[in-house]
């Protein structure tokens, strides 16, 4: 048995879904722990310190949002919400509280595994950045040089305004995580007013155009409609085949 396998905690009270998710993850060589209540999930999180939490919100004892709050008070472990709640407000609340991603039920096997891989790469990348401030971010043919505040695509420098660079750098620093409109606006401009969302959308359109993305092309940045933005694929530095 490979002791270096990623450990994933699944907090889900529906036995059939829990069993299905566990089977999918184990088939992809992940170590899986399961809990059926919020309290049990928090106890197992403290005891086993998993690399990722997959969380249902509709738990029998408490709302899953309470687990996100409790975990985020002390830990930055990636949290992937897997919920039947489809309202935008539910997604925004979970993401604002600190969830990294939100997948609605029903879901496809391939999508779930891809989202899990993305969340785990988020943790690995975050650990790398915390150990070595600055550095570079790689995504396909785009490179962000944090020290020089320069963005290049296919080796050519992309002329971004200060605000455009700050938005792109913010998304890259949280790669794999959906950032809500409000969280981006608060970080970049410091306050939210009536025209803030439109201002963000205009800047984002300019960023995409300068990066060479055509309308409807999610090559680098994807818009989670009504919720926020995220980098399409987490970065892998050259030579990293994991």
């Amino acid at each position: 048995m490979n002791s270096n396998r990623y450990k994933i905690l699944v907090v889900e009270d529906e036995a059939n879904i829990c069993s299905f998710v566990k089977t999918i993850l184990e088939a992809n060589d992940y170590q899986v722990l399961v809990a059926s209540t919020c309290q049990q999930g928090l106890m197992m999180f403290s005891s086993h310190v998993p690399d990722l939490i997959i969380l249902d919100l509709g738990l029998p004892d408490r709302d899953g949002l309470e687990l996100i709050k409790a975990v985020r008070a002390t830990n930055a472990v990636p949290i992937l919400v897997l919920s039947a709640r489809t309202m935008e407000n539910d997604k925004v609340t979970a993401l604002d509280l600190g969830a990294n991603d939100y997948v609605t039920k029903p879901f496809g096997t391939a999508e779930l595994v891809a989202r899990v891989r993305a969340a785990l790469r988020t943790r690995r990348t975050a650990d790398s950045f915390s150990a070595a401030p600055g550095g570079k971010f790689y995504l396909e043919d785009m490179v962000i040089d944090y020290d020089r505040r320069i963005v290049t695509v296919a080796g050519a420098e992309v002329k971004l305004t200060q605000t455009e660079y700050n938005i792109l750098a913010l998304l890259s620093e949280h790669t794999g995580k959906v950032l809500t409109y409000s969280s981006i606006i608060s970080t970049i401009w410091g306050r939210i007013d009536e025209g803030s969302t439109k201002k963000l959308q205009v800047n984002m359109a300019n960023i995409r155009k300068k990066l060479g993305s055509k309308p409807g092309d999610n090559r680098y940045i994807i818009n989670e409609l009504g919720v926020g933005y995220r980098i399409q694929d987490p970065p892998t530095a050259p030579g990293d085949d994991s």
Side-chain angles (χ1 to χ4, degrees), residues 176-196:
K177 175 178 171 57
V178 180
L179 295 185
T180 61
Y181 300 139
S182 60
S183 66
I184 298 172
I185 292 166
S186 297
T187 301
I188 300 300
W189 288 285
R191 62 188 180 88
I192 300 175
D193 55 37
E194 187 176 343
S196 293

Side-chain angles (χ1 to χ4, degrees), residues 93-115:
T93 299
L95 293 166
D96 276 341
L97 287 175
N100 291 67
D101 205 350
Y102 195 111
V103 178
T104 55
K105 301 175 183 176
F107 55 88
T109 300
E111 178 188 10
L112 177 63
V113 173
R115 301 268 189 161

Side-chain angles (χ1 to χ4, degrees), residues 15-100:
N16 59 332
I17 295 179
C18 187
S19 177
F20 178 58
V21 172
K22 185 173 185 289
T23 299
I24 292 171
L25 295 176
E26 289 180 339
N28 284 272
D29 203 30
Y30 296 114
Q31 182 180 352
V32 183
L33 307 167
V34 297
S36 59
T37 67
C38 184
Q39 182 177 359
Q40 186 181 11
L42 288 171
M43 290 176 60
M44 294 191 71
F45 171 74
S46 299
S47 301
H48 297 277
V49 193
D51 299 293
L52 170 69
I53 298 174
I54 296 180
L55 173 67
D56 179 29
L57 297 182
L59 300 173
D61 57 340
R62 281 187 281 171
D63 193 297
L65 295 174
E66 295 299 317
L67 187 144
I68 298 176
K69 292 178 185 177
V71 170
R72 280 292 173 263
T74 60
N75 199 287
V77 61
I79 299 175
L80 171 60
V81 173
L82 195 63
S83 177
R85 300 179 188 176
T86 59
M87 298 296 292
E88 287 179 3
N89 286 343
D90 292 318
K91 297 179 182 180
V92 170
T93 299
L95 293 166
D96 276 341
L97 287 175
N100 291 67

Side-chain angles (χ1 to χ4, degrees), residues 2 7 36 65-66 94 116 128-129 161 164 207 214 222 229:
N2 181 3
K7 187 187 304 179
S36 59
L65 295 174
E66 295 299 317
V116 166
S128 173
F129 280 127
T161 67
E164 291 166 356
I207 292 170
K214 299 176 181 179
I222 189 167
Y229 297 97

Side-chain angles (χ1 to χ4, degrees), residues 104-179:
T104 55
K105 301 175 183 176
F107 55 88
T109 300
E111 178 188 10
L112 177 63
V113 173
R115 301 268 189 161
V116 166
R117 285 199 302 263
L120 290 170
R121 283 197 295 265
T122 298
R123 177 169 191 148
R124 189 172 65 222
T125 302
D127 290 343
S128 173
F129 280 127
S130 65
K136 295 181 180 180
F137 174 98
Y138 298 88
L139 177 58
E140 297 185 15
D141 59 351
M142 179 180 73
V143 180
I144 302 176
D145 186 327
Y146 294 118
D147 292 330
R148 300 171 64 200
R149 291 178 64 86
I150 290 176
V151 178
T152 60
V153 172
E157 183 177 349
V158 178
K159 299 294 186 180
L160 298 176
T161 67
Q162 180 175 327
T163 297
E164 291 166 356
Y165 173 84
N166 289 341
I167 293 172
L168 184 60
L170 176 65
L171 289 171
S172 70
E173 288 163 3
H174 295 272
T175 180
K177 175 178 171 57
V178 180
L179 295 185

Side-chain angles (χ1 to χ4, degrees), residues 205-242:
N206 289 338
I207 292 170
R208 284 172 156 167
K209 182 177 180 180
K210 290 179 180 181
L211 292 178
S213 297
K214 299 176 181 179
D217 179 8
N218 294 320
R219 184 178 180 189
Y220 302 113
I221 302 168
I222 189 167
N223 181 7
E224 298 284 359
L225 194 59
V227 178
Y229 297 97
R230 64 179 171 88
I231 290 290
Q232 171 69 358
D233 293 307
T236 300
D240 183 358
D241 296 326
S242 58

